[in-house]
Amino acid sequence: MTDAELRNLPVLVLPKTPEEAQRQAQLVETSFWKKLQRLAARLPFAGELLAAWYAARDPKTPATTKLALTAALAYFVLPFDTVPDWIAALGYGDDFAVLIGAIKLAGGAITEAHREAARKMLEKFKRG
């Protein structure tokens, strides 16, 4: 991912300082799994969220791509965003759009191995 592509991420997602990037990473670490487990059965893009999470933690993923994916995951876990999550049928639309934008910018950084790990985790969620 180039610097120009990274700058084209939605303003609400892109961290402006290293400290903000660190806060986003910490937010994802502390909140992502809880929120996803609660919503996985209802979110049609849960697999994409998980694949992005695995790619963002892969040592082979370029640093700027990790930053973009982590920022998109942080947007998902933030309680306040452009369209509040509690609004029926629209609440997670903005989260999905931000995630898809980050995934497109990530190009091939999300591999089949990440997607397979995501599928396995979703199966675990479904089994309870």
Side-chain angles (χ1 to χ4, degrees):
M1 179 179 301
T2 67
D3 286 342
E5 290 172 322
L6 192 59
R7 282 192 302 274
N8 285 330
L9 280 174
V11 173
L12 295 169
V13 174
L14 188 61
K16 293 175 181 36
T17 65
E19 293 79 18
E20 189 176 330
Q22 182 61 33
R23 279 193 303 276
Q24 284 183 349
Q26 289 172 340
L27 176 67
V28 171
E29 288 300 319
T30 60
S31 304
F32 177 74
W33 286 104
K34 287 183 239 176
K35 187 168 185 177
L36 187 63
Q37 279 184 303
R38 194 180 68 218
L39 298 171
R42 297 189 320 247
L43 284 179
F45 60 97
E48 292 299 317
L49 281 166
L50 278 165
W53 189 89
Y54 285 116
R57 273 128 195 90
D58 188 334
K60 297 175 191 166
T61 301
T64 55
T65 301
K66 287 182 181 189
L67 180 67
L69 292 172
T70 299
L73 295 170
Y75 189 82
F76 168 70
V77 297
L78 283 171
F80 306 105
D81 51 30
T82 304
V83 179
D85 295 338
W86 54 266
I87 297 176
L90 297 175
Y92 289 101
D94 60 327
D95 301 74
F96 179 66
V98 167
L99 176 67
I100 292 304
I103 288 171
K104 285 190 182 294
L105 290 174
I110 298 179
T111 66
E112 186 53 38
H114 300 136
R115 292 187 188 289
E116 180 59 28
R119 281 190 287 274
K120 287 180 181 177
M121 186 56 68
L122 281 176
E123 285 300 318
K124 283 176 108 173
F125 285 161
K126 289 177 185 175
R127 287 192 302 263

PDB file of all heavy atoms in Angstrom, residues 38-74:
ATOM      1  N   ARG A  38     -20.146 -11.543  19.797  1.00  0.00           N
ATOM      2  CA  ARG A  38     -21.540 -11.174  20.048  1.00  0.00           C
ATOM      3  C   ARG A  38     -22.329 -11.005  18.751  1.00  0.00           C
ATOM      4  O   ARG A  38     -23.512 -11.296  18.691  1.00  0.00           O
ATOM      5  CB  ARG A  38     -21.554  -9.879  20.866  1.00  0.00           C
ATOM      6  CG  ARG A  38     -22.867  -9.539  21.477  1.00  0.00           C
ATOM      7  CD  ARG A  38     -22.785  -8.251  22.259  1.00  0.00           C
ATOM      8  NE  ARG A  38     -22.576  -7.212  21.283  1.00  0.00           N
ATOM      9  CZ  ARG A  38     -21.801  -6.136  21.403  1.00  0.00           C
ATOM     10  NH1 ARG A  38     -21.185  -5.905  22.430  1.00  0.00           N
ATOM     11  NH2 ARG A  38     -21.650  -5.264  20.461  1.00  0.00           N
ATOM     12  N   LEU A  39     -21.662 -10.562  17.682  1.00  0.00           N
ATOM     13  CA  LEU A  39     -22.365 -10.202  16.450  1.00  0.00           C
ATOM     14  C   LEU A  39     -22.116 -11.133  15.268  1.00  0.00           C
ATOM     15  O   LEU A  39     -22.766 -10.983  14.231  1.00  0.00           O
ATOM     16  CB  LEU A  39     -21.956  -8.787  16.021  1.00  0.00           C
ATOM     17  CG  LEU A  39     -22.297  -7.678  16.996  1.00  0.00           C
ATOM     18  CD1 LEU A  39     -21.638  -6.384  16.556  1.00  0.00           C
ATOM     19  CD2 LEU A  39     -23.799  -7.512  17.098  1.00  0.00           C
ATOM     20  N   ALA A  40     -21.200 -12.062  15.384  1.00  0.00           N
ATOM     21  CA  ALA A  40     -20.766 -12.867  14.233  1.00  0.00           C
ATOM     22  C   ALA A  40     -21.917 -13.514  13.477  1.00  0.00           C
ATOM     23  O   ALA A  40     -21.922 -13.533  12.247  1.00  0.00           O
ATOM     24  CB  ALA A  40     -19.761 -13.929  14.674  1.00  0.00           C
ATOM     25  N   ALA A  41     -22.891 -14.023  14.176  1.00  0.00           N
ATOM     26  CA  ALA A  41     -24.002 -14.712  13.514  1.00  0.00           C
ATOM     27  C   ALA A  41     -24.874 -13.754  12.704  1.00  0.00           C
ATOM     28  O   ALA A  41     -25.522 -14.169  11.751  1.00  0.00           O
ATOM     29  CB  ALA A  41     -24.861 -15.441  14.545  1.00  0.00           C
ATOM     30  N   ARG A  42     -24.870 -12.466  13.068  1.00  0.00           N
ATOM     31  CA  ARG A  42     -25.739 -11.501  12.394  1.00  0.00           C
ATOM     32  C   ARG A  42     -25.017 -10.646  11.351  1.00  0.00           C
ATOM     33  O   ARG A  42     -25.669  -9.941  10.594  1.00  0.00           O
ATOM     34  CB  ARG A  42     -26.370 -10.567  13.427  1.00  0.00           C
ATOM     35  CG  ARG A  42     -27.258 -11.307  14.403  1.00  0.00           C
ATOM     36  CD  ARG A  42     -28.052 -10.353  15.284  1.00  0.00           C
ATOM     37  NE  ARG A  42     -27.343  -9.191  15.751  1.00  0.00           N
ATOM     38  CZ  ARG A  42     -27.023  -8.954  17.020  1.00  0.00           C
ATOM     39  NH1 ARG A  42     -27.355  -9.813  17.953  1.00  0.00           N
ATOM     40  NH2 ARG A  42     -26.387  -7.865  17.367  1.00  0.00           N
ATOM     41  N   LEU A  43     -23.696 -10.680  11.347  1.00  0.00           N
ATOM     42  CA  LEU A  43     -22.943  -9.829  10.423  1.00  0.00           C
ATOM     43  C   LEU A  43     -22.537 -10.609   9.180  1.00  0.00           C
ATOM     44  O   LEU A  43     -21.752 -11.544   9.262  1.00  0.00           O
ATOM     45  CB  LEU A  43     -21.663  -9.303  11.083  1.00  0.00           C
ATOM     46  CG  LEU A  43     -21.796  -8.183  12.076  1.00  0.00           C
ATOM     47  CD1 LEU A  43     -20.428  -7.813  12.633  1.00  0.00           C
ATOM     48  CD2 LEU A  43     -22.455  -6.967  11.464  1.00  0.00           C
ATOM     49  N   PRO A  44     -23.027 -10.210   8.029  1.00  0.00           N
ATOM     50  CA  PRO A  44     -22.654 -10.933   6.811  1.00  0.00           C
ATOM     51  C   PRO A  44     -21.187 -10.763   6.436  1.00  0.00           C
ATOM     52  O   PRO A  44     -20.657 -11.553   5.671  1.00  0.00           O
ATOM     53  CB  PRO A  44     -23.572 -10.332   5.743  1.00  0.00           C
ATOM     54  CG  PRO A  44     -24.079  -9.061   6.299  1.00  0.00           C
ATOM     55  CD  PRO A  44     -24.004  -9.156   7.793  1.00  0.00           C
ATOM     56  N   PHE A  45     -20.525  -9.776   7.003  1.00  0.00           N
ATOM     57  CA  PHE A  45     -19.114  -9.557   6.672  1.00  0.00           C
ATOM     58  C   PHE A  45     -18.168  -9.963   7.804  1.00  0.00           C
ATOM     59  O   PHE A  45     -17.005  -9.554   7.843  1.00  0.00           O
ATOM     60  CB  PHE A  45     -18.865  -8.096   6.251  1.00  0.00           C
ATOM     61  CG  PHE A  45     -19.208  -7.062   7.293  1.00  0.00           C
ATOM     62  CD1 PHE A  45     -18.229  -6.540   8.125  1.00  0.00           C
ATOM     63  CD2 PHE A  45     -20.503  -6.591   7.417  1.00  0.00           C
ATOM     64  CE1 PHE A  45     -18.536  -5.575   9.066  1.00  0.00           C
ATOM     65  CE2 PHE A  45     -20.822  -5.620   8.354  1.00  0.00           C
ATOM     66  CZ  PHE A  45     -19.835  -5.113   9.189  1.00  0.00           C
ATOM     67  N   ALA A  46     -18.631 -10.818   8.704  1.00  0.00           N
ATOM     68  CA  ALA A  46     -17.808 -11.276   9.821  1.00  0.00           C
ATOM     69  C   ALA A  46     -16.545 -11.988   9.336  1.00  0.00           C
ATOM     70  O   ALA A  46     -15.469 -11.826   9.917  1.00  0.00           O
ATOM     71  CB  ALA A  46     -18.612 -12.190  10.744  1.00  0.00           C
ATOM     72  N   GLY A  47     -16.663 -12.752   8.270  1.00  0.00           N
ATOM     73  CA  GLY A  47     -15.489 -13.446   7.723  1.00  0.00           C
ATOM     74  C   GLY A  47     -14.433 -12.479   7.224  1.00  0.00           C
ATOM     75  O   GLY A  47     -13.233 -12.698   7.411  1.00  0.00           O
ATOM     76  N   GLU A  48     -14.871 -11.382   6.611  1.00  0.00           N
ATOM     77  CA  GLU A  48     -13.929 -10.370   6.129  1.00  0.00           C
ATOM     78  C   GLU A  48     -13.254  -9.663   7.305  1.00  0.00           C
ATOM     79  O   GLU A  48     -12.062  -9.354   7.252  1.00  0.00           O
ATOM     80  CB  GLU A  48     -14.641  -9.348   5.239  1.00  0.00           C
ATOM     81  CG  GLU A  48     -15.130  -9.919   3.934  1.00  0.00           C
ATOM     82  CD  GLU A  48     -14.001 -10.459   3.068  1.00  0.00           C
ATOM     83  OE1 GLU A  48     -12.953  -9.812   2.947  1.00  0.00           O
ATOM     84  OE2 GLU A  48     -14.180 -11.556   2.515  1.00  0.00           O
ATOM     85  N   LEU A  49     -14.011  -9.399   8.360  1.00  0.00           N
ATOM     86  CA  LEU A  49     -13.419  -8.797   9.562  1.00  0.00           C
ATOM     87  C   LEU A  49     -12.322  -9.695  10.127  1.00  0.00           C
ATOM     88  O   LEU A  49     -11.230  -9.224  10.446  1.00  0.00           O
ATOM     89  CB  LEU A  49     -14.493  -8.582  10.634  1.00  0.00           C
ATOM     90  CG  LEU A  49     -15.396  -7.380  10.492  1.00  0.00           C
ATOM     91  CD1 LEU A  49     -16.595  -7.507  11.419  1.00  0.00           C
ATOM     92  CD2 LEU A  49     -14.627  -6.099  10.783  1.00  0.00           C
ATOM     93  N   LEU A  50     -12.633 -10.973  10.240  1.00  0.00           N
ATOM     94  CA  LEU A  50     -11.646 -11.908  10.779  1.00  0.00           C
ATOM     95  C   LEU A  50     -10.428 -12.048   9.872  1.00  0.00           C
ATOM     96  O   LEU A  50      -9.292 -12.078  10.358  1.00  0.00           O
ATOM     97  CB  LEU A  50     -12.286 -13.281  11.001  1.00  0.00           C
ATOM     98  CG  LEU A  50     -13.066 -13.417  12.298  1.00  0.00           C
ATOM     99  CD1 LEU A  50     -13.949 -14.647  12.259  1.00  0.00           C
ATOM    100  CD2 LEU A  50     -12.118 -13.465  13.475  1.00  0.00           C
ATOM    101  N   ALA A  51     -10.635 -12.120   8.577  1.00  0.00           N
ATOM    102  CA  ALA A  51      -9.502 -12.223   7.653  1.00  0.00           C
ATOM    103  C   ALA A  51      -8.617 -10.982   7.767  1.00  0.00           C
ATOM    104  O   ALA A  51      -7.383 -11.085   7.773  1.00  0.00           O
ATOM    105  CB  ALA A  51     -10.004 -12.410   6.226  1.00  0.00           C
ATOM    106  N   ALA A  52      -9.239  -9.815   7.897  1.00  0.00           N
ATOM    107  CA  ALA A  52      -8.470  -8.581   8.075  1.00  0.00           C
ATOM    108  C   ALA A  52      -7.695  -8.626   9.388  1.00  0.00           C
ATOM    109  O   ALA A  52      -6.539  -8.197   9.461  1.00  0.00           O
ATOM    110  CB  ALA A  52      -9.395  -7.371   8.033  1.00  0.00           C
ATOM    111  N   TRP A  53      -8.319  -9.134  10.435  1.00  0.00           N
ATOM    112  CA  TRP A  53      -7.647  -9.243  11.737  1.00  0.00           C
ATOM    113  C   TRP A  53      -6.415 -10.140  11.634  1.00  0.00           C
ATOM    114  O   TRP A  53      -5.335  -9.774  12.111  1.00  0.00           O
ATOM    115  CB  TRP A  53      -8.621  -9.789  12.788  1.00  0.00           C
ATOM    116  CG  TRP A  53      -8.068  -9.716  14.174  1.00  0.00           C
ATOM    117  CD1 TRP A  53      -8.178  -8.673  15.037  1.00  0.00           C
ATOM    118  CD2 TRP A  53      -7.320 -10.724  14.850  1.00  0.00           C
ATOM    119  NE1 TRP A  53      -7.534  -8.978  16.210  1.00  0.00           N
ATOM    120  CE2 TRP A  53      -7.001 -10.224  16.126  1.00  0.00           C
ATOM    121  CE3 TRP A  53      -6.878 -11.995  14.497  1.00  0.00           C
ATOM    122  CZ2 TRP A  53      -6.260 -10.946  17.046  1.00  0.00           C
ATOM    123  CZ3 TRP A  53      -6.137 -12.723  15.421  1.00  0.00           C
ATOM    124  CH2 TRP A  53      -5.837 -12.201  16.680  1.00  0.00           C
ATOM    125  N   TYR A  54      -6.567 -11.303  10.999  1.00  0.00           N
ATOM    126  CA  TYR A  54      -5.424 -12.207  10.850  1.00  0.00           C
ATOM    127  C   TYR A  54      -4.325 -11.579   9.993  1.00  0.00           C
ATOM    128  O   TYR A  54      -3.142 -11.702  10.313  1.00  0.00           O
ATOM    129  CB  TYR A  54      -5.865 -13.547  10.260  1.00  0.00           C
ATOM    130  CG  TYR A  54      -6.599 -14.417  11.256  1.00  0.00           C
ATOM    131  CD1 TYR A  54      -7.930 -14.747  11.063  1.00  0.00           C
ATOM    132  CD2 TYR A  54      -5.963 -14.893  12.399  1.00  0.00           C
ATOM    133  CE1 TYR A  54      -8.615 -15.536  11.984  1.00  0.00           C
ATOM    134  CE2 TYR A  54      -6.639 -15.673  13.326  1.00  0.00           C
ATOM    135  CZ  TYR A  54      -7.961 -16.000  13.114  1.00  0.00           C
ATOM    136  OH  TYR A  54      -8.632 -16.768  14.025  1.00  0.00           O
ATOM    137  N   ALA A  55      -4.688 -10.890   8.926  1.00  0.00           N
ATOM    138  CA  ALA A  55      -3.689 -10.247   8.066  1.00  0.00           C
ATOM    139  C   ALA A  55      -2.963  -9.129   8.814  1.00  0.00           C
ATOM    140  O   ALA A  55      -1.754  -8.951   8.652  1.00  0.00           O
ATOM    141  CB  ALA A  55      -4.351  -9.695   6.806  1.00  0.00           C
ATOM    142  N   ALA A  56      -3.693  -8.386   9.640  1.00  0.00           N
ATOM    143  CA  ALA A  56      -3.087  -7.285  10.383  1.00  0.00           C
ATOM    144  C   ALA A  56      -2.075  -7.773  11.418  1.00  0.00           C
ATOM    145  O   ALA A  56      -1.213  -7.011  11.846  1.00  0.00           O
ATOM    146  CB  ALA A  56      -4.170  -6.449  11.065  1.00  0.00           C
ATOM    147  N   ARG A  57      -2.161  -9.029  11.795  1.00  0.00           N
ATOM    148  CA  ARG A  57      -1.240  -9.591  12.776  1.00  0.00           C
ATOM    149  C   ARG A  57      -0.165 -10.483  12.165  1.00  0.00           C
ATOM    150  O   ARG A  57       0.686 -11.002  12.857  1.00  0.00           O
ATOM    151  CB  ARG A  57      -2.013 -10.381  13.836  1.00  0.00           C
ATOM    152  CG  ARG A  57      -2.457  -9.441  14.922  1.00  0.00           C
ATOM    153  CD  ARG A  57      -3.919  -9.537  15.217  1.00  0.00           C
ATOM    154  NE  ARG A  57      -4.346  -8.392  15.994  1.00  0.00           N
ATOM    155  CZ  ARG A  57      -4.794  -7.265  15.461  1.00  0.00           C
ATOM    156  NH1 ARG A  57      -4.859  -7.115  14.183  1.00  0.00           N
ATOM    157  NH2 ARG A  57      -5.190  -6.266  16.211  1.00  0.00           N
ATOM    158  N   ASP A  58      -0.198 -10.643  10.877  1.00  0.00           N
ATOM    159  CA  ASP A  58       0.773 -11.477  10.165  1.00  0.00           C
ATOM    160  C   ASP A  58       2.079 -10.697   9.991  1.00  0.00           C
ATOM    161  O   ASP A  58       2.073  -9.597   9.452  1.00  0.00           O
ATOM    162  CB  ASP A  58       0.202 -11.860   8.797  1.00  0.00           C
ATOM    163  CG  ASP A  58       1.047 -12.874   8.063  1.00  0.00           C
ATOM    164  OD1 ASP A  58       2.265 -12.956   8.311  1.00  0.00           O
ATOM    165  OD2 ASP A  58       0.476 -13.582   7.218  1.00  0.00           O
ATOM    166  N   PRO A  59       3.203 -11.256  10.433  1.00  0.00           N
ATOM    167  CA  PRO A  59       4.484 -10.551  10.278  1.00  0.00           C
ATOM    168  C   PRO A  59       4.854 -10.272   8.814  1.00  0.00           C
ATOM    169  O   PRO A  59       5.639  -9.377   8.534  1.00  0.00           O
ATOM    170  CB  PRO A  59       5.514 -11.493  10.908  1.00  0.00           C
ATOM    171  CG  PRO A  59       4.763 -12.570  11.579  1.00  0.00           C
ATOM    172  CD  PRO A  59       3.338 -12.515  11.128  1.00  0.00           C
ATOM    173  N   LYS A  60       4.271 -11.012   7.885  1.00  0.00           N
ATOM    174  CA  LYS A  60       4.575 -10.811   6.464  1.00  0.00           C
ATOM    175  C   LYS A  60       3.795  -9.654   5.850  1.00  0.00           C
ATOM    176  O   LYS A  60       4.122  -9.198   4.762  1.00  0.00           O
ATOM    177  CB  LYS A  60       4.273 -12.091   5.684  1.00  0.00           C
ATOM    178  CG  LYS A  60       5.131 -13.261   6.089  1.00  0.00           C
ATOM    179  CD  LYS A  60       4.691 -14.515   5.356  1.00  0.00           C
ATOM    180  CE  LYS A  60       5.357 -15.728   5.963  1.00  0.00           C
ATOM    181  NZ  LYS A  60       4.730 -16.964   5.531  1.00  0.00           N
ATOM    182  N   THR A  61       2.776  -9.174   6.524  1.00  0.00           N
ATOM    183  CA  THR A  61       1.972  -8.071   6.008  1.00  0.00           C
ATOM    184  C   THR A  61       2.748  -6.766   6.160  1.00  0.00           C
ATOM    185  O   THR A  61       3.267  -6.480   7.240  1.00  0.00           O
ATOM    186  CB  THR A  61       0.631  -7.979   6.772  1.00  0.00           C
ATOM    187  OG1 THR A  61      -0.067  -9.213   6.626  1.00  0.00           O
ATOM    188  CG2 THR A  61      -0.234  -6.845   6.248  1.00  0.00           C
ATOM    189  N   PRO A  62       2.829  -5.963   5.083  1.00  0.00           N
ATOM    190  CA  PRO A  62       3.545  -4.678   5.160  1.00  0.00           C
ATOM    191  C   PRO A  62       2.964  -3.764   6.254  1.00  0.00           C
ATOM    192  O   PRO A  62       1.759  -3.774   6.514  1.00  0.00           O
ATOM    193  CB  PRO A  62       3.333  -4.057   3.774  1.00  0.00           C
ATOM    194  CG  PRO A  62       3.015  -5.219   2.880  1.00  0.00           C
ATOM    195  CD  PRO A  62       2.297  -6.220   3.745  1.00  0.00           C
ATOM    196  N   ALA A  63       3.826  -2.974   6.850  1.00  0.00           N
ATOM    197  CA  ALA A  63       3.435  -2.114   7.981  1.00  0.00           C
ATOM    198  C   ALA A  63       2.301  -1.160   7.629  1.00  0.00           C
ATOM    199  O   ALA A  63       1.371  -0.979   8.426  1.00  0.00           O
ATOM    200  CB  ALA A  63       4.642  -1.337   8.490  1.00  0.00           C
ATOM    201  N   THR A  64       2.336  -0.529   6.465  1.00  0.00           N
ATOM    202  CA  THR A  64       1.268   0.417   6.116  1.00  0.00           C
ATOM    203  C   THR A  64      -0.061  -0.303   5.922  1.00  0.00           C
ATOM    204  O   THR A  64      -1.113   0.240   6.245  1.00  0.00           O
ATOM    205  CB  THR A  64       1.616   1.225   4.850  1.00  0.00           C
ATOM    206  OG1 THR A  64       1.918   0.332   3.788  1.00  0.00           O
ATOM    207  CG2 THR A  64       2.780   2.171   5.100  1.00  0.00           C
ATOM    208  N   THR A  65      -0.007  -1.533   5.431  1.00  0.00           N
ATOM    209  CA  THR A  65      -1.225  -2.319   5.263  1.00  0.00           C
ATOM    210  C   THR A  65      -1.776  -2.711   6.631  1.00  0.00           C
ATOM    211  O   THR A  65      -2.988  -2.648   6.853  1.00  0.00           O
ATOM    212  CB  THR A  65      -0.953  -3.563   4.395  1.00  0.00           C
ATOM    213  OG1 THR A  65      -0.460  -3.127   3.127  1.00  0.00           O
ATOM    214  CG2 THR A  65      -2.192  -4.393   4.203  1.00  0.00           C
ATOM    215  N   LYS A  66      -0.890  -3.099   7.543  1.00  0.00           N
ATOM    216  CA  LYS A  66      -1.328  -3.413   8.909  1.00  0.00           C
ATOM    217  C   LYS A  66      -2.019  -2.211   9.537  1.00  0.00           C
ATOM    218  O   LYS A  66      -3.046  -2.342  10.185  1.00  0.00           O
ATOM    219  CB  LYS A  66      -0.128  -3.813   9.772  1.00  0.00           C
ATOM    220  CG  LYS A  66       0.426  -5.160   9.484  1.00  0.00           C
ATOM    221  CD  LYS A  66       1.575  -5.448  10.433  1.00  0.00           C
ATOM    222  CE  LYS A  66       2.153  -6.806  10.124  1.00  0.00           C
ATOM    223  NZ  LYS A  66       3.118  -7.223  11.143  1.00  0.00           N
ATOM    224  N   LEU A  67      -1.442  -1.027   9.322  1.00  0.00           N
ATOM    225  CA  LEU A  67      -2.015   0.200   9.870  1.00  0.00           C
ATOM    226  C   LEU A  67      -3.424   0.422   9.333  1.00  0.00           C
ATOM    227  O   LEU A  67      -4.352   0.707  10.093  1.00  0.00           O
ATOM    228  CB  LEU A  67      -1.116   1.389   9.527  1.00  0.00           C
ATOM    229  CG  LEU A  67      -1.566   2.746  10.025  1.00  0.00           C
ATOM    230  CD1 LEU A  67      -1.505   2.816  11.542  1.00  0.00           C
ATOM    231  CD2 LEU A  67      -0.699   3.827   9.401  1.00  0.00           C
ATOM    232  N   ALA A  68      -3.598   0.267   8.036  1.00  0.00           N
ATOM    233  CA  ALA A  68      -4.912   0.482   7.418  1.00  0.00           C
ATOM    234  C   ALA A  68      -5.927  -0.540   7.912  1.00  0.00           C
ATOM    235  O   ALA A  68      -7.065  -0.188   8.238  1.00  0.00           O
ATOM    236  CB  ALA A  68      -4.796   0.418   5.903  1.00  0.00           C
ATOM    237  N   LEU A  69      -5.534  -1.801   7.977  1.00  0.00           N
ATOM    238  CA  LEU A  69      -6.457  -2.841   8.432  1.00  0.00           C
ATOM    239  C   LEU A  69      -6.821  -2.651   9.902  1.00  0.00           C
ATOM    240  O   LEU A  69      -7.979  -2.787  10.287  1.00  0.00           O
ATOM    241  CB  LEU A  69      -5.865  -4.228   8.188  1.00  0.00           C
ATOM    242  CG  LEU A  69      -5.716  -4.636   6.727  1.00  0.00           C
ATOM    243  CD1 LEU A  69      -4.936  -5.946   6.600  1.00  0.00           C
ATOM    244  CD2 LEU A  69      -7.063  -4.742   6.038  1.00  0.00           C
ATOM    245  N   THR A  70      -5.828  -2.323  10.724  1.00  0.00           N
ATOM    246  CA  THR A  70      -6.097  -2.097  12.148  1.00  0.00           C
ATOM    247  C   THR A  70      -7.014  -0.897  12.336  1.00  0.00           C
ATOM    248  O   THR A  70      -7.919  -0.923  13.174  1.00  0.00           O
ATOM    249  CB  THR A  70      -4.781  -1.909  12.921  1.00  0.00           C
ATOM    250  OG1 THR A  70      -3.996  -3.099  12.779  1.00  0.00           O
ATOM    251  CG2 THR A  70      -5.033  -1.649  14.402  1.00  0.00           C
ATOM    252  N   ALA A  71      -6.820   0.144  11.544  1.00  0.00           N
ATOM    253  CA  ALA A  71      -7.692   1.318  11.635  1.00  0.00           C
ATOM    254  C   ALA A  71      -9.131   0.950  11.279  1.00  0.00           C
ATOM    255  O   ALA A  71     -10.074   1.395  11.939  1.00  0.00           O
ATOM    256  CB  ALA A  71      -7.170   2.426  10.721  1.00  0.00           C
ATOM    257  N   ALA A  72      -9.305   0.132  10.243  1.00  0.00           N
ATOM    258  CA  ALA A  72     -10.659  -0.298   9.864  1.00  0.00           C
ATOM    259  C   ALA A  72     -11.280  -1.159  10.960  1.00  0.00           C
ATOM    260  O   ALA A  72     -12.480  -1.030  11.250  1.00  0.00           O
ATOM    261  CB  ALA A  72     -10.620  -1.058   8.544  1.00  0.00           C
ATOM    262  N   LEU A  73     -10.486  -2.022  11.582  1.00  0.00           N
ATOM    263  CA  LEU A  73     -10.996  -2.847  12.680  1.00  0.00           C
ATOM    264  C   LEU A  73     -11.354  -1.970  13.887  1.00  0.00           C
ATOM    265  O   LEU A  73     -12.352  -2.224  14.566  1.00  0.00           O
ATOM    266  CB  LEU A  73      -9.976  -3.916  13.065  1.00  0.00           C
ATOM    267  CG  LEU A  73      -9.698  -4.967  11.994  1.00  0.00           C
ATOM    268  CD1 LEU A  73      -8.504  -5.822  12.376  1.00  0.00           C
ATOM    269  CD2 LEU A  73     -10.921  -5.822  11.725  1.00  0.00           C
ATOM    270  N   ALA A  74     -10.563  -0.945  14.133  1.00  0.00           N
ATOM    271  CA  ALA A  74     -10.864  -0.023  15.233  1.00  0.00           C
ATOM    272  C   ALA A  74     -12.179   0.703  14.961  1.00  0.00           C
ATOM    273  O   ALA A  74     -12.985   0.901  15.874  1.00  0.00           O
ATOM    274  CB  ALA A  74      -9.728   0.982  15.413  1.00  0.00           C
TER     275      ALA A  74
END
